[in-house]
Amino acid sequence: MHSDRGWMYARLKDGLLNPLFLEGLNEFISAAKQFPDCLNGELIRCPCNRFKCQNRSFEDENTVRFHLMKYGFVRDYYVWYLHGEIQNYNVIHKRNAAEPSFSPSISNEPSNQSIQRLYDMLAAANQELWPGCENHLQLSAVARILNIKSEHHLSERCFDNICQFIKEILPIDNLFTDNFYSTKKLLEGLGLPIQKIHSCLNDCMIYWGEDNELLRCKVCDHPRLQRLYASNATAKDMTWHATHGTDDDLMHHPSDSNAWKAFDNNWPHFSAEKRNVRLGLCTDGFQPFGQSGQQYSSWPVILTPYKLPPWLCMKGEYMFLTILVPGPRNPKDKLDVYLQLLVTKLKDLWENGVETYDAFNKENFNLRAALMWTISDFPAYAMLSGWSTAGRTACPYCMEDSDAFTLTRGGKQSWFDNHRKFLPPSHSFRRNKTSFRKNVSVTKKAKPPIFGEELLK
């Protein structure tokens, strides 16, 4: 097979299919069919850029050929590791003994490509800045200069000039970065990409997926969560919830809760793989400019894995920023527009999972994830759930069965006496007409909570 695979991303030429692309496509199909271990019967994985495919679905040869001609290859698939072309790597790091090792242990099963890119990047970035340099490694020097750019709001042109000057005064064989572009390429292996997606100015929709090429909003016509398993330091802790064990009835971890146990009973196939991830999602607004007086509200959406031990799962390094709605306004009830990508990804992680390398057990496995909880204050609860927390029906439990009343003078809604209906029928508080609302007794029962399809409806 040819080592130069530039043809993979040169699908069109003068508006027509490139003959070199068609020739390379035939080569790819032939190569993929030579590895039975990567096939599903006679079906092969479809590596097209269509969201439903992207090496996740198995299709027949003709369908794969049609998809690739129509949608092209998924990004950065130069090494066909899911179609039999898997390479073993030996990565050597220069590290202190106290530092956790990210290098893959030698095993019969190699890590997948995404994790291997992390290992390769760490190996390259931990080289000395120049032979004999004791103050900085390549990665630490680049991270430092990038931090200076951010802290002092340097332009890219200024950053490039500083980098070129520093590189000139260092020894000739130094590995310091040349410019901002090469800096971003070096850090790309850390797995911290940013995908900028345009949205309607009125928060009606985002230009993503099939709507990526739209020039106007479809609604108002306005113009236009693996890394933890890659490290020996955390891979073992990712199964702590299943092995910690307790001799009392106290809740030491969310895995001791009734909700967690009920989830295990309802989906035993998910809980059978103790490495599957349980997630919590939270969001709230903050003002990035502090008390400067500028009205600007940003909304981060953060995912947290609840499998780690209690002393780790609330640490900042294990809270993953998945979405940042930059503002300047509160997205309010239109936050779901920005959650589309995250919801789609969570559904895919639940239904299909993703191939993940376990550095502790030295093997690949199919990692699935489930969203267990959302955590927010009451106003943000309305944004996440879609249930309005204003007005007489603000309570998400009582809903339309609320006993809220309007204050005669203030004109505001009050839920002062909404809770006696949850008491046992014979409780004395139900008949008390002086300690609660005057001359009001409560005989009604609270309606049972709703679940599943009824809740979605």
Side-chain angles (χ1 to χ4, degrees), residues 173-188:
D173 52 352
N174 71 83
L175 298 177
F176 194 73
T177 182
D178 294 309
N179 49 45
F180 186 61
Y181 175 78
S182 62
T183 302
K184 292 194 296 183
K185 293 295 291 183
L186 179 63
L187 296 178
E188 191 177 44

Side-chain angles (χ1 to χ4, degrees), residues 327-374:
R329 301 185 306 272
N330 184 337
K332 297 185 179 178
D333 60 333
K334 297 180 179 179
L335 181 66
D336 62 307
V337 172
Y338 299 95
L339 291 177
Q340 292 179 73
L341 285 81
L342 179 58
V343 170
T344 301
K345 183 61 177 178
L346 288 175
K347 285 183 176 180
D348 182 58
L349 286 174
W350 167 256
E351 295 171 358
N352 303 313
V354 61
E355 186 183 20
T356 303
Y357 181 69
D358 184 347
F360 181 72
N361 293 306
K362 303 178 183 64
E363 63 181 8
N364 289 326
F365 72 101
N366 188 53
L367 173 68
R368 294 174 59 200
L371 180 65
M372 294 285 289
W373 296 285
T374 61

Side-chain angles (χ1 to χ4, degrees), residues 3 7 60 66 71 77 89 153 179 213 220 225 241 327 351-352 355 379 396 407:
S3 58
W7 59 266
D60 61 81
F66 173 75
Y71 302 107
Y77 193 54
Y89 297 86
H153 307 287
N179 49 45
E213 301 299 328
C220 69
L225 171 221
H241 73 284
E351 295 171 358
N352 303 313
E355 186 183 20
L407 297 175

Side-chain angles (χ1 to χ4, degrees), residues 47-170:
C48 80
N49 201 36
R50 181 170 171 259
F51 181 78
K52 293 183 179 180
C53 296
Q54 297 187 0
N55 279 321
R56 291 190 291 263
S57 65
F58 287 89
E59 306 288 348
D60 61 81
E61 175 183 340
N62 291 332
T63 301
V64 171
R65 189 186 305 274
F66 173 75
H67 280 188
L68 290 173
M69 288 191 295
K70 183 176 181 180
Y71 302 107
F73 279 87
V74 69
R75 291 182 57 190
D76 300 326
Y77 193 54
Y78 294 102
V79 179
W80 306 336
Y81 63 100
L82 289 174
H83 295 84
E85 188 183 63
I86 302 178
Q87 302 178 13
N88 291 307
Y89 297 86
N90 292 320
V91 181
I92 302 175
H93 298 292
K94 180 180 179 181
R95 291 185 174 276
N96 296 326
E99 291 184 310
S101 173
F102 283 89
S103 59
S105 302
I106 297 176
S107 66
N108 295 328
E109 186 172 8
S111 59
N112 61 52
Q113 189 194 34
S114 60
I115 298 301
Q116 192 61 58
R117 282 201 298 264
L118 169 67
Y119 295 147
D120 292 344
M121 187 282 302
L122 290 175
N126 278 278
Q127 297 178 11
E128 295 178 339
L129 197 55
W130 70 83
C133 177
E134 299 180 355
N135 296 327
H136 279 288
L137 300 174
Q138 186 185 24
L139 178 60
S140 63
V142 168
R144 180 72 175 274
I145 190 67
L146 198 61
N147 179 68
I148 293 174
K149 177 188 184 303
S150 175
E151 187 172 337
H152 297 281
H153 307 287
L154 302 180
S155 66
E156 289 189 20
R157 182 179 178 184
C158 177
F159 183 88
D160 292 348
N161 290 338
I162 293 175
C163 289
Q164 292 167 8
F165 175 69
I166 293 176
K167 192 170 182 66
E168 290 174 4
I169 61 177
L170 292 178

Side-chain angles (χ1 to χ4, degrees), residues 274-448:
K274 63 182 181 180
R275 291 176 293 190
N276 285 335
V277 178
R278 322 281 180 107
L279 297 169
L281 181 148
C282 61
T283 185
D284 202 356
F286 75 100
Q287 292 186 344
F289 303 112
Q291 302 299 321
S292 63
Q294 183 174 354
Q295 296 299 316
Y296 195 101
S297 175
S298 295
W299 285 77
V301 179
I302 296 172
L303 283 179
T304 303
Y306 279 109
K307 295 162 54 65
L308 293 166
W311 55 89
L312 290 180
C313 65
M314 289 294 105
K315 294 285 188 179
E317 52 266 36
Y318 301 114
M319 295 184 179
F320 304 121
L321 178 63
T322 57
I323 296 174
L324 180 62
V325 183
R329 301 185 306 272
N330 184 337
K332 297 185 179 178
D333 60 333
K334 297 180 179 179
L335 181 66
D336 62 307
V337 172
Y338 299 95
L339 291 177
Q340 292 179 73
L341 285 81
L342 179 58
V343 170
T344 301
K345 183 61 177 178
L346 288 175
K347 285 183 176 180
D348 182 58
L349 286 174
W350 167 256
E351 295 171 358
N352 303 313
V354 61
E355 186 183 20
T356 303
Y357 181 69
D358 184 347
F360 181 72
N361 293 306
K362 303 178 183 64
E363 63 181 8
N364 289 326
F365 72 101
N366 188 53
L367 173 68
R368 294 174 59 200
L371 180 65
M372 294 285 289
W373 296 285
T374 61
I375 302 118
S376 59
D377 58 16
F378 209 45
Y381 174 90
M383 298 170 60
L384 284 173
S385 68
W387 183 267
S388 175
T389 55
R392 295 179 63 88
T393 58
C395 177
Y397 297 97
C398 298
M399 297 186 175
E400 69 280 354
D401 194 40
S402 172
D403 296 319
F405 61 93
T406 304
L407 297 175
T408 55
R409 295 188 179 182
K412 295 184 178 180
Q413 298 296 318
S414 174
W415 294 267
F416 167 70
D417 198 19
N418 271 241
H419 306 97
R420 280 195 286 172
K421 61 188 176 187
F422 292 96
L423 295 172
S426 60
H427 202 286
S428 60
F429 282 178
R430 283 178 168 270
R431 302 185 297 274
N432 193 320
K433 296 184 179 182
T434 59
S435 300
F436 299 94
R437 293 183 68 186
K438 187 176 181 180
N439 297 325
V440 175
S441 61
V442 177
T443 58
K444 67 183 295 186
K445 293 182 180 179
K447 68 176 186 180

